[in-house]
Amino acid sequence: MKQIAPIKQLNTFFDQFALALENYDTKTMAHLYEMPCTLLSDDATTVFTEPVKLEGFFNRGASVYKQVGVYKVRAEIWNRQIWTQKMLMVKMKWRYANQLGEEIYTCDYNYIMKQDREGNLKIVMSVSLNEKEQMEEWQKKNSKK
C-alpha cells in the first residue's frame, strides 16, 4: 500500500480540523493528534499522553468558542517545511467568524506533524503564537459596544 506524502494531506487534514472546530467535535480534534503530544503557548506547556484527557482540554476550549459565537472556522496554511519523508512543520492562521460570516478574530499557530504507522497525518506539537491575546483583544473591543 503506497502512502500519500504528508504535504499532500495538509489541506484535507486542516479542512477536517476546521469542521471539527465548527461542530465542537472534540473527539475528532483529539483524534488528529499523535499521543503523546505537546500544546505550547507563552503561558503553558502541556503534554498529553491520553486522547481522552486531550478531548477534555478541547471541551473547555469549545465552550469558550461557543460563548464568543464561533460559527465558521477557516484554516489558512501560510508555510510548510518538509523535515523528512514523514515529518513537517506548518505555519498557519486560523480565522474564526460568527453566524453572519463576520470575522471574530484570527490567530497564528505552528504545528509539528508526522505520519503515523497507517500513513495518517497527526499533530505532535501545537504552538499557539497569539490566540489568547487575539481573543482578549476581541473581547475588549466587544465589551465597549
Side-chain angles (χ1 to χ4, degrees), residues 38-140:
T38 304
L39 276 57
L40 181 65
S41 69
D42 282 342
D43 297 332
T45 301
T46 310
V47 177
F48 291 93
T49 57
E50 299 173 40
V52 70
K53 292 192 178 187
L54 180 59
E55 185 180 346
F57 175 81
F58 287 148
N59 278 325
R60 290 187 294 282
S63 69
V64 172
Y65 286 171
K66 284 179 186 176
Q67 286 174 9
V68 299
V70 170
Y71 183 78
K72 186 73 178 155
V73 179
R74 190 166 55 98
E76 278 183 15
I77 298 171
W78 285 38
N79 191 0
R80 35 195 175 263
Q81 290 181 327
I82 299 171
W83 288 357
T84 70
Q85 287 184 340
K86 294 185 176 189
M87 289 192 301
L88 62 137
M89 189 198 47
V90 178
K91 294 181 179 190
M92 61 177 300
K93 181 177 289 294
W94 287 105
R95 295 190 174 280
Y96 300 99
N98 64 20
Q99 203 163 3
L100 300 173
E102 300 163 336
E103 194 162 271
I104 297 173
Y105 73 95
T106 66
C107 59
D108 303 304
Y109 269 80
N110 288 349
Y111 294 97
I112 297 174
M113 306 176 76
K114 74 175 196 173
Q115 284 181 317
D116 65 12
R117 290 185 195 129
E118 290 80 43
N120 299 309
L121 203 53
K122 301 281 186 169
I123 297 170
V124 177
M125 179 181 283
S126 170
V127 182
S128 172
L129 301 177
N130 59 4
E131 184 165 24
K132 179 182 175 199
E133 296 82 1
Q134 296 288 37
M135 186 181 284
E136 287 172 352
E137 181 68 27
W138 176 83
Q139 289 173 323
K140 192 186 313 179

